[in-house]
């Protein structure tokens, strides 16, 4: 049997957009197709990167420091987890990746996109190209609605406690990334959970990443 090709898939969106609630179902969908799945997240996914995540999400820091820590965590995650899993032919489902850096540090905090692009080149260089997801599911939700969903849900972290204007900028950042890269699929997250999942499933079927309707 020939080994299957690795597949790198990411989920993105502002806090409260509901992306995380679909990761489990995605994992089950790919497993039902006989695929081995590595489910992971950023910042994080390795012991070192999880340590960096705690720092990033709990401490105030200037945006360059924050970007360097995010990319340091990413480098460790790529080397230790993502690349090996892809080389084994697995499906890597990652809750956030570099698009979040352009959206949060770039658009949200107003940090220089050119510096972020340079860091992206350094960290994601792969055989003369750039490691990028094959598909990015972008859960798009108005920032006001996301804020309502988050309100009272739990103790907010550093980003979740930002005002709605911050998330308006982050949402614009995602929209700009999506407009520039065909790997993005916009999911209208302002729908019921079932309707959102139906869009996710349809996007995967349409791109030939999972089989169509079962007989
Ligand atoms: P999130 O993915 O929403 O996890 P949880 O559901 O546990 O809250 O939280 C990660 C936070 O980190 C989120 O607010 C976005 C932020 N973040 C960045 O600012 N830059 C990045 O590059 C990444 C990956 C995340």
């Amino acid at each position: 049997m020939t080994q299957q090709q690795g597949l790198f898939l990411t989920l993105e969106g502002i806090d409260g957009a509901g992306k995380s609630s679909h990761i489990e179902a995605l994992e089950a969908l790919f497993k039902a197709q006989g695929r081995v799945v590595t489910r992971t997240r950023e910042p994080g996914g390795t012991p070192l990167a999880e340590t960096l995540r705690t720092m990033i999400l709990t401490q105030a820091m200037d945006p360059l420091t924050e970007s360097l820590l995010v990319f340091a965590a990413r480098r460790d995650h790529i080397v230790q987890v993502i690349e090996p899993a892809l080389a084994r032919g697995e499906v890597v489902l990652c809750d956030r990746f570099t698009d979040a850096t352009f959206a949060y540090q770039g658009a949200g905090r107003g940090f220089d996109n050119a510096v972020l692009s340079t860091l992206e080149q350094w960290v994601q260089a792969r055989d003369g190209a750039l490691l990028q997801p094959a598909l990015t599911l972008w859960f798009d939700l108005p920032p006001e609605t996301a804020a309502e969903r988050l309100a009272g849900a739990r103790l907010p972290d550093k980003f979740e406690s930002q005002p709605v204007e911050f998330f308006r900028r982050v949402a614009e950042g995602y929209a700009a990334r999506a407009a520039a890269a065909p790997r993005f699929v916009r999911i209208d997250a302002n729908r019921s959970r079932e309707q959102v999942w139906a869009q996710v499933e349809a996007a995967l079927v349409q791109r030939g990443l999972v089989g169509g309707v079962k007989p």
Side-chain angles (χ1 to χ4, degrees):
M1 202 178 92
T2 53
Q3 195 194 315
Q4 280 186 299
Q5 280 231 315
L7 175 65
F8 185 23
L9 213 148
T10 58
L11 294 88
E12 296 283 359
I14 59 173
D15 287 276
K19 64 185 169 44
S20 305
S21 59
H22 295 285
I23 288 201
E24 211 166 303
L26 270 172
E27 179 174 1
L29 182 64
F30 280 108
K31 282 184 170 168
Q33 311 265 314
R35 301 291 306 248
V36 178
V37 177
T38 289
R39 200 168 108 194
T40 188
R41 69 170 182 182
E42 288 213 352
T46 70
L48 173 60
E50 290 290 333
T51 303
L52 293 170
R53 176 189 177 95
T54 305
M55 296 176 176
I56 294 161
L57 296 186
T58 58
Q59 298 187 44
M61 57 188 79
D62 90 282
L64 173 57
T65 308
E66 195 169 275
S67 302
L68 290 169
L69 290 183
V70 161
F71 272 109
R74 181 160 301 133
R75 178 68 187 174
D76 193 53
H77 190 211
I78 289 171
V79 171
Q80 306 286 345
V81 174
I82 298 178
E83 289 274 26
L86 292 176
R88 292 192 298 268
E90 297 179 9
V91 175
V92 176
L93 290 180
C94 192
D95 192 343
R96 300 191 184 281
F97 194 62
T98 306
D99 298 310
T101 314
F102 282 92
Y104 281 76
Q105 281 66 50
R109 297 205 60 189
F111 189 58
D112 189 348
N113 272 351
V115 176
L116 296 181
S117 292
T118 302
L119 293 171
E120 182 185 35
Q121 298 281 336
W122 284 1
V123 168
Q124 290 162 236
R126 189 205 206 197
D127 303 330
L130 215 58
L131 171 71
Q132 291 290 17
L135 182 74
T136 298
L137 298 167
W138 168 40
F139 293 78
D140 190 23
L141 186 73
E144 294 76 13
T145 313
E148 279 166 27
R149 285 188 187 177
L150 277 182
R154 59 178 173 189
L155 205 63
D157 65 31
K158 191 174 96 184
F159 292 108
E160 287 163 354
S161 53
Q162 291 295 315
V164 73
E165 296 77 57
F166 175 82
F167 288 104
R168 255 182 229 128
R169 294 196 297 276
V170 174
E172 281 167 18
Y174 275 125
R177 291 286 282 180
R183 67 183 159 81
F184 269 85
V185 171
R186 179 182 173 273
I187 304 292
D188 179 1
N190 204 6
R191 295 272 181 273
S192 73
R193 199 187 156 105
E194 293 71 29
Q195 287 168 330
V196 171
W197 173 249
Q199 294 174 64
V200 170
E201 220 174 3
L204 297 177
V205 171
Q206 198 181 29
R207 300 215 168 193
L209 299 175
V210 297
V213 183
K214 292 177 199 84

